[in-house]
Amino acid sequence: MIRAIFFSIFDVHEGPKVLHQVPADSIAPSNKSSQTPLLHFPSVSSYIIPRPEYCSKLITFCTPAHRVLCQPVCLHSSTYPRNAYTFSIALVLDASTPFASYATVTLKLASLLQTLEEQSRFLSRDTSAPNTGKIYALCEILLEDLNNYCESMIPIDDSNTLNIKLFPTYPPPPPLFSHHVPLSTVRLESLTDPNWDLTMLRVLPHINGINSVKQISLLADADYKLVRKAIEHLLYYGCLLLLDIFSFSASYASTAELASFVEDTDMQEECAAYVAVPPVLSNSKASQSDPISGFQLVELYLKLRQGQTVKSFYVDNVEIVDRIDIRRFITFGVIKGFLYRVHRYAIATSQTSRRKREHKVKSKQKADEPTAAESQIDATKSERHQLQMEKFLDGTHCFDEICTELMIGERELMRRLKAFGDVQIICR
């Protein structure tokens, strides 16, 4: 939030001076005012009206409670006293306020005022008393519009209009990996137009909450790095959520947030509508089934635990789970935050590394011997698999990531882990 806007100049007799300030007495209070200023102007005047070599640059500094943004401008001409006219319009924010978007506003204001001064001496010919006139009105409207509406359009004269908009600053998106599954939170098709990035247009049809980032790049026939960049942009603007790859061999468990789902009947109704299976037409008649109740949904979520796969959960509760979409059932819990995925990680022991080196030596020896061509090919293939697996066995790569990077299934991954040697698998 903007606390104050003020306009200052270099007076040839008084030096740096505040001409206009909104609110009144917020920067340079009058002698009759009892208001405490937001900052002590004489102490910071050298930053507001600096030496000419520091003009035309964005300057930002902090006091204990506030941050000041300004871009001083120095114009040289023989028509000015001392052949120069120096001015600055500054914004005062709370010290904790993110200021990236306000910096753009400051730069645009300084550029506009410089243009107006060069065209018609809009600033130097203004003889209005302090806190009156067009410049004061400009500061007053800016403060009110930007704080209330985050945008402002102010007609300056017949040929100049000030248009400013504060664009929100979002936090950086979460790290994106090849095994993440993006799920749209808005109707992306309604936001697109033909002028969008070509990679983005090819990616959007494949974002369905099922395909991983790697799969999307393959389906869209686009470079993985470009696809990842496009998805990161959508994440930054809050158009996507990230899920894990759904698999019946995966394991999920509830968190403490499940208590809020137990007490919230509206969320239970939302869940029931989201996971409901649409009726299947058979012999021109829709098969009817009783809708699942909130109590049954709570009971199902409570049965999810570590060490239990989705497949075994489905088999144990088939009579109820058969009436819902199991993938949507899991996804809803993950989105709302009362379910989490229990990932599996592989860690190779030192003994495994030794066995691996011995295996490489033996493979090389076999390759040197006059054996059949198939044996040499098998040995080379096995060695290549060993080398591919090595970098993933440090306990920081989950099974989803390994399978996605190597483009193999979980059964093939387990086979390679057994062939690798003594590998410990942990769940967390």
Side-chain angles (χ1 to χ4, degrees):
M1 182 178 181
I2 303 176
R3 292 299 181 183
I5 298 178
F6 64 95
F7 177 79
S8 55
I9 64 169
F10 181 84
D11 188 277
V12 294
H13 302 292
E14 303 178 32
K17 177 183 178 181
V18 177
L19 278 186
H20 307 288
Q21 52 189 317
V22 181
D25 299 327
S26 58
I27 305 300
S30 61
N31 295 330
K32 298 179 181 180
S33 175
S34 60
Q35 179 179 343
T36 303
L38 298 177
L39 51 91
H40 186 243
F41 182 75
S43 302
V44 299
S45 59
S46 59
Y47 302 107
I48 304 297
I49 305 292
R51 290 183 295 177
E53 54 264 32
Y54 294 108
C55 292
S56 301
K57 296 179 175 65
L58 178 67
I59 295 177
T60 173
F61 60 91
C62 285
T63 65
H66 301 93
R67 180 185 293 274
V68 181
L69 299 171
C70 66
Q71 181 179 321
V73 177
C74 182
L75 301 176
H76 298 275
S77 174
S78 58
T79 60
Y80 298 126
R82 297 189 181 181
N83 298 325
Y85 180 75
T86 306
F87 70 90
S88 179
I89 185 166
L91 277 62
V92 181
L93 316 173
D94 290 327
S96 59
T97 301
F99 65 94
S101 57
Y102 292 97
T104 306
V105 170
T106 304
L107 296 175
K108 187 169 185 178
L109 281 173
S111 176
L112 173 69
L113 294 179
Q114 179 179 348
T115 302
L116 291 173
E117 176 63 20
E118 292 172 342
Q119 289 178 351
S120 60
R121 299 293 189 266
F122 178 80
L123 303 176
S124 57
R125 290 180 180 177
D126 183 33
T127 57
S128 304
N131 297 333
T132 61
K134 293 183 178 180
I135 302 176
Y136 174 77
L138 176 68
C139 296
E140 191 174 31
I141 296 172
L142 271 175
L143 179 67
E144 182 178 353
D145 286 357
L146 292 180
N147 281 341
N148 293 329
Y149 311 110
C150 295
E151 60 183 356
S152 181
M153 185 182 73
I154 306 173
I156 305 297
D157 52 33
D158 294 338
S159 56
N160 292 284
T161 301
L162 173 63
N163 289 284
I164 283 184
K165 184 178 178 65
L166 275 176
F167 291 94
T169 303
Y170 299 102
L176 183 66
F177 298 102
S178 59
H179 63 282
H180 282 151
V181 177
L183 174 67
S184 61
T185 59
V186 297
R187 292 187 178 275
L188 297 173
E189 297 80 6
S190 63
L191 303 177
T192 59
D193 62 64
N195 297 321
W196 271 37
D197 179 74
L198 294 178
T199 303
M200 183 73 76
L201 293 175
R202 300 180 72 170
V203 163
L204 293 183
H206 305 291
I207 298 178
N208 55 7
I210 300 175
N211 297 325
S212 66
V213 178
K214 184 77 170 182
Q215 289 174 316
I216 291 174
S217 68
L218 296 174
L219 293 171
D221 193 20
D223 181 72
Y224 169 73
K225 293 181 179 179
L226 296 178
V227 171
R228 181 177 174 179
K229 197 70 175 177
I231 294 176
E232 283 179 341
H233 274 79
L234 296 175
L235 277 173
Y236 177 77
Y237 289 105
C239 299
L240 298 178
L241 294 174
L242 291 182
L243 305 174
D244 52 77
I245 298 175
F246 177 79
S247 169
F248 278 95
S249 61
S251 178
Y252 293 86
S254 58
T255 68
E257 297 296 325
L258 184 59
S260 61
F261 178 76
V262 175
E263 299 173 354
D264 193 339
T265 55
D266 293 335
M267 190 186 298
Q268 294 173 12
E269 293 176 0
E270 179 187 357
C271 179
Y274 181 75
V275 304
V277 177
V280 180
L281 295 180
S282 178
N283 297 327
S284 301
K285 294 183 180 180
S287 59
Q288 301 293 331
S289 61
D290 296 332
I292 192 168
S293 65
F295 175 80
Q296 290 174 316
L297 288 171
V298 171
E299 190 177 36
L300 288 176
Y301 279 121
L302 287 171
K303 291 182 179 180
L304 289 168
R305 63 184 184 276
Q306 290 195 27
Q308 180 189 44
T309 64
V310 176
K311 179 180 179 180
S312 61
F313 167 78
Y314 182 90
V315 172
D316 295 341
N317 305 276
V318 64
E319 294 183 358
I320 301 177
V321 177
D322 199 38
R323 294 154 50 190
I324 63 175
D325 187 327
I326 186 64
R327 182 185 63 82
R328 282 175 165 255
F329 173 78
I330 297 295
T331 300
F332 185 88
V334 174
I335 292 174
K336 295 299 183 180
F338 56 80
L339 277 188
Y340 72 95
R341 170 75 179 273
V342 181
H343 284 285
R344 287 182 290 173
Y345 300 83
I347 302 177
T349 63
S350 57
Q351 183 180 3
T352 302
S353 300
R354 185 167 60 254
R355 290 181 181 178
K356 181 178 178 299
R357 289 193 297 269
E358 293 174 355
H359 174 78
K360 289 179 64 177
V361 173
K362 291 179 180 179
S363 298
K364 185 177 180 180
Q365 291 174 351
K366 290 181 179 180
D368 293 337
E369 295 175 357
T371 57
E374 289 109 7
S375 299
Q376 294 184 10
I377 293 174
D378 291 342
T380 304
K381 183 178 180 181
S382 177
E383 182 178 349
R384 185 173 67 252
H385 289 171
Q386 298 280 348
L387 293 174
Q388 289 177 341
M389 291 295 301
E390 182 180 8
K391 63 179 180 180
F392 295 111
L393 303 183
D394 57 358
T396 63
H397 304 277
C398 64
F399 274 26
D400 284 355
E401 181 180 357
I402 300 173
C403 291
T404 303
E405 290 293 336
L406 300 181
M407 299 184 68
I408 59 176
E410 189 170 321
R411 182 176 297 179
E412 173 64 15
L413 173 61
M414 294 301 296
R415 187 191 68 78
R416 294 190 186 183
L417 289 176
K418 290 179 180 179
F420 193 89
D422 187 11
V423 178
Q424 295 182 356
I425 298 176
I426 60 173
C427 300
R428 57 184 176 91

